[in-house]
Amino acid sequence: MTHHQPRTVDFFAREALAAPQVTPDQARRIAAESFGIAGRAEPLGSQQDANFLLRQDDGTPTAVLKIANPAFSATETDAQDTAADLIAAAHPDLRLATVLRTPDGAPQTATVHTDGGPATARLLRYLDGGTLSGPRHLSPRTVAAMGRVAGRVSTALRTFRHPGLDRVLQWDLRYADRVVGLLLEHIPEAARRSAVLAATAEAWTAVEKVGDHLPRQAVHLDLTDDNLVRSPDSRVLLPDGIIDFGDLTASWAVCELAVTLSSVLHHDGMEPHHVLPAVRAFHHVRPLSAEEAAALWPLTVLRAAILVVSGRHQAAVDADNAYVDGNLDQEWRIFEQATAVPSAVMTGLIQETLGLAERQAPAPPPVELLVAEPVLADVAVLDLSTEADTMDHGAWLEENTPDRLAAALLAQGTAAVATRYAEPRLGAARALSPGSPATIATGIDLWLLRPTALQAPCDGELLHTAPGHAVLTCRPYVLHLTFTDAVQPGPSAGTPIRAGDELASLPAGAHVHVCLRQPAAPAVPALVRPEYAAGWLALTADPSALIGTSATGARPQPDLLARRDATFATVQEHYYDNPPRIERGWRHHLLSTDGRSYLDMVNNVTPLGHAHPRVEQAVARQLRRLNTNSRFHYAAVVEFTERLAALLPDPLDTVFLVNSGSEAVDLAIRLATGATGHPDVLALREAYHGWTYASDAVSTSIADNPNALATRPSWVHTLDSPNSYRGRHRGEKASAYAPEAVQVIDDLAAAGRPPGAFISEPYYGNAGGVALPDGYLDQVYEAVRRHGGLAVADEIQVGYGRLGTWFWGFEQQRVVPDIVCVAKAMGNGHPLGAVITSRAIAAAYRDQGYFFSSTGGSPVSSVAGLTVLDTLRDEDLQGNAVRNGARLQSGLRALAHRHHIIGAVHGSGLYLGVELVRDRATLEPATEETAEICDRMLELGVVVQPTGDHLNILKIKPPLCIDSTAVDFFTGTLDRALTELGHHDGSDHAH
């Protein structure tokens, strides 16, 4: 690659480009005298120009006054203004800081005098909304939007030509090697200086290989978080505006994206893999070539290096520039993150993401096996994946899981045990970790029962030896062998070797790690994090053939979600846009197939915890014996219904068993309307009860069905949601809900339509765990019964000890319903539901025919239900809901003092809701923010989801076995997420 001489500014001819020294008062006078604008001028940060926001006396923004560096000619500023107008015309939905024009179309520009000489001043359009600057974490949606904007700018400028583009800027990555070489001395720390020099040399070498094949065009070259303006209408960071064309030039087109990527890296919690949404989005708009994909990350590293040296240099020549000084730490963090992962790994990851990865060469077939054939004739392949039976019962939490499992197989007489290449190892997972662990194997491990000799699998050269280590060529790869330090390889380094030559003699029980990697690859860890696995694996090959086992092939493509959408009705939605694949659970942990552990804060279906051994054993035992329908005579259904009825007060003594909560509610409505002869039903608004015809009819939550209130059948009537936090009556005034409800009931009866049933959750679960006003159910139940109706309590979510102080939600209201619906917690994941009522009400059902549920109350379901009740009692899980529920609620209330977005913490025990609002006075729901928080919490290892009509409440209903360590991890992680996303410095107390 050759460097040419420009006709305009040349950084190397000037070296120092200090920003013009213009005070706010001087800027105010320039605006008044040159453009006729009165008001005040507020300085805006800039490295090489002087920028001011002009405001009217009442504070209304008027325009931006931009005074270009005197080194920049009018030709260059004209190019910038023309390019901005071009992009604005090409993409009308993007907002551009275009030059303001007079009525006759002339740009509002003027030549002004500065301490550095004459400079061009212009008035630019002000874009409201604020930039993406600052430490705030950027969500994948935001990052993708940044890449999309960069791609659209690139396409708009593809054919743009202008003499003002012919510049040599220090920011142009075509000159990165020269810029770093020139300015490196300004980094005072020797270690940092060496790191920048080494990273620059490596990245420049990579770019040189493809530089002549990189397309060139006009580029903005500064589409960073500082210059992308968020949409004023967006509650999360979504850019739709572009400012500052001061670095506009002609360069490699891919530099546009590299600059954007670098600006992502300094934000809180961001690391290299977080840029991939921007890469995908850019590529979708403006496809990258194979050469551009290969150059992208090295260019990102070069951008980071330039930022560091330029920032230090500018601080030296422009000592009073607060903007420059304030960015020094940020620029170093960008460099640290850009170099945190080897460039070759990031390049492989980018190529894999874009479908541009080259096909990996398979390992060559060995002439001789690594270990003598009689040993390898009996190799057991050890499955360490999430789905392996060896990981049952929490075995993945034990120390040294692979060694322990291999030793057990060797003890059984197996000659050798081997692992799989590229397999995620669950034993490497860490519970309650905010970061993903290294779980993906880049090689294989081999355990040998007897004393064994390692031998060269092919002809080659021994490159390196040391105690416990040997490196030899195995073309086209290099073979790395690691074993016990007590063994010194026989041949010395530099020795030519033949296939079958002995490399080392190992003792019985030896463990060998085998890795094949490309000759120029960086050192490859034995395990790598899933986010970077594609990049690391591109540098390695499967060595299984060297020990005579079958290659595992490429890692399976993540197409399971597409297969699900193709056959599983999409109305049955899934959590998250890009959900992890969960194939195992243990207690309050969920485990993905990548070996990532997540804290489960939503699973009230499994109150005992996932994969409880007691339930597993009881259900398996019963399945071995009998499973049929409840018309047969067997003990389990009797014992279970007796136990269930004993948990309820008189006269609730008769049990129906079904398979789900929806069925339970449906049956309860039929029981009530049949027993009373009144077909009308009364329900609360903002409630969810199920999906069957009747249970859906009384479900009024607009989050589950936006048309819920408008599509109710005529026999359903609704009462105002008695929400004491955001309803019509709040706080102490919530006592007004009950009399109003009584009046509605009396009015229905007066109109000849007395409700046969009133159904509600006795503790407002769907609204986020909001307690009903004191005495509410007592008054409503009395009114319903006075007119011949029955009271139905939906305990599906809040019952079974989850509230801690009360086993049933209706106990909190000091009432006894006529019918109780239960499900979810009853089977710890086994489909089981129940309706409990009085014998008289149950008997009235015969007037409608008979009742039968094929698997409701089956032997297996009954045994599952009994075991859950036994375990709830024996492990004191209701007591745990009291203790750790109080700890959790206290921690959440403490967060509300620091984070203004937390409006209230609702609930009791381990049924809690954190209501998020934009304003604690207006209670405007923070719906988009809640979704963003849930996504960030998933990244940090927590599964939590929104609920409520506005989907602005974090529903917190973990397995009841959750311990104090997990509780503290959750509150700490939520604190981190809220801080990273900018929701901090609360001043008013939450409810």
Side-chain angles (χ1 to χ4, degrees), residues 247-291:
D247 293 339
L248 184 80
T249 189
S251 185
W252 292 316
V254 70
C255 292
E256 197 79 277
L257 178 58
V259 168
T260 301
L261 300 188
S262 68
S263 74
V264 169
L265 297 176
H266 75 86
H267 287 262
D268 286 348
M270 304 300 282
E271 53 179 290
H273 74 85
H274 284 117
V275 307
L276 293 179
V279 176
R280 281 190 288 265
F282 184 97
H283 183 68
H284 180 75
V285 174
R286 190 275 190 195
L288 295 165
S289 67
E291 291 81 8

Side-chain angles (χ1 to χ4, degrees), residues 9-219:
V9 68
D10 184 347
F11 168 75
F12 298 104
R14 303 181 65 99
E15 292 189 19
L17 292 174
Q21 297 300 305
V22 180
T23 67
D25 189 59
Q26 289 172 328
R28 180 186 58 78
R29 288 201 303 270
I30 290 172
E33 295 169 4
S34 299
F35 302 107
I37 294 180
R40 62 179 188 267
E42 298 175 2
L44 302 173
S46 179
Q47 186 153 21
Q48 296 176 340
D49 301 320
N51 299 323
F52 296 87
L53 174 59
L54 304 180
R55 292 185 183 274
Q56 297 176 11
D57 291 335
D58 64 0
T60 303
T62 304
V64 171
L65 172 65
K66 187 176 187 68
I67 304 171
N69 193 290
F72 302 149
S73 67
T75 301
E76 291 165 280
T77 56
D78 181 68
Q80 296 162 24
D81 296 338
T82 305
D85 288 339
L86 176 66
I87 298 169
H91 301 294
D93 57 318
L94 290 179
R95 297 181 297 148
L96 275 294
T98 50
V99 66
L100 297 181
R101 297 181 181 275
T102 61
D104 62 359
Q108 295 202 53
T109 66
T111 300
V112 299
H113 295 283
T114 70
D115 58 336
T120 301
R122 297 122 76 206
L123 287 184
L124 303 179
R125 176 189 176 194
Y126 168 73
L127 307 183
D128 63 339
T131 67
L132 307 185
S133 300
R136 187 193 192 279
H137 181 80
L138 303 179
S139 70
R141 189 178 172 199
T142 300
V143 175
M146 295 172 71
R148 192 174 303 112
V149 170
R152 299 177 77 189
V153 169
S154 184
T155 57
L157 295 179
R158 179 175 290 169
T159 59
F160 178 56
R161 304 289 185 270
H162 193 288
L165 300 176
D166 189 19
R167 325 165 72 192
V168 173
L169 302 179
Q170 71 192 94
W171 313 112
D172 189 342
L173 301 182
R174 292 180 300 164
Y175 309 112
D177 60 330
R178 294 176 62 193
V179 172
V180 172
L182 181 66
L183 305 182
L184 187 66
E185 64 183 23
H186 293 282
I187 301 177
E189 306 91 345
R192 290 190 174 188
R193 214 166 39 244
S194 297
V196 170
L197 183 61
T200 300
E202 179 186 357
W204 188 254
T205 298
V207 172
E208 278 192 309
K209 293 178 181 178
V210 295
D212 290 339
H213 301 285
L214 298 178
R216 303 184 188 190
Q217 65 167 71
V219 287

Side-chain angles (χ1 to χ4, degrees), residues 698-717:
V698 295
S699 294
T700 53
S701 170
I702 59 174
D704 297 289
N705 176 4
N707 300 313
L709 296 176
T711 58
R712 298 306 89 201
S714 61
W715 52 269
V716 175
H717 312 277

Side-chain angles (χ1 to χ4, degrees), residues 900-923:
H900 56 77
I901 195 172
I902 297 179
V905 178
H906 307 300
S908 173
L910 287 172
Y911 199 109
L912 304 177
V914 177
E915 183 143 2
L916 305 178
V917 297
R918 292 170 184 154
D919 185 296
R920 288 181 175 177
T922 66
L923 304 188

Side-chain angles (χ1 to χ4, degrees), residues 185-377:
E185 64 183 23
H186 293 282
I187 301 177
E189 306 91 345
R192 290 190 174 188
R193 214 166 39 244
S194 297
V196 170
L197 183 61
T200 300
E202 179 186 357
W204 188 254
T205 298
V207 172
E208 278 192 309
K209 293 178 181 178
V210 295
D212 290 339
H213 301 285
L214 298 178
R216 303 184 188 190
Q217 65 167 71
V219 287
H220 179 286
L221 208 60
D222 204 12
L223 293 174
T224 66
D225 54 342
D226 287 339
N227 294 323
L228 292 175
V229 180
R230 64 184 292 181
S231 168
D233 300 326
S234 173
R235 291 296 180 171
V236 296
L237 300 184
L238 291 179
D240 72 343
I242 302 169
I243 63 174
D244 195 355
F245 280 72
D247 293 339
L248 184 80
T249 189
S251 185
W252 292 316
V254 70
C255 292
E256 197 79 277
L257 178 58
V259 168
T260 301
L261 300 188
S262 68
S263 74
V264 169
L265 297 176
H266 75 86
H267 287 262
D268 286 348
M270 304 300 282
E271 53 179 290
H273 74 85
H274 284 117
V275 307
L276 293 179
V279 176
R280 281 190 288 265
F282 184 97
H283 183 68
H284 180 75
V285 174
R286 190 275 190 195
L288 295 165
S289 67
E291 291 81 8
E292 288 176 313
L296 180 54
W297 198 254
L299 288 170
T300 304
V301 173
L302 291 172
R303 166 70 176 188
I306 288 177
L307 287 172
V308 171
V309 297
S310 297
R312 293 287 190 160
H313 170 246
Q314 196 72 15
V317 303
D318 197 0
D320 296 329
N321 192 325
Y323 175 82
V324 171
D325 289 339
N327 282 342
L328 294 179
D329 289 341
Q330 173 180 301
E331 289 158 353
W332 182 251
R333 173 166 170 75
I334 290 172
F335 178 79
E336 284 185 315
Q337 286 298 312
T339 56
V341 177
S343 187
V345 173
M346 282 303 298
T347 296
L349 185 60
I350 289 168
Q351 291 169 332
E352 178 72 22
T353 298
L354 301 181
L356 297 173
E358 296 180 2
R359 184 176 178 83
Q360 186 178 359
V367 178
E368 298 287 348
L369 294 177
L370 186 61
V371 179
E373 196 163 344
V375 176
L376 294 179

Side-chain angles (χ1 to χ4, degrees), residues 958-979:
L960 298 183
C961 63
I962 192 171
D963 56 30
S964 59
T965 303
V967 164
D968 293 346
F969 176 76
F970 174 74
T971 53
T973 304
L974 182 57
D975 188 15
R976 172 178 171 177
L978 293 172
T979 301

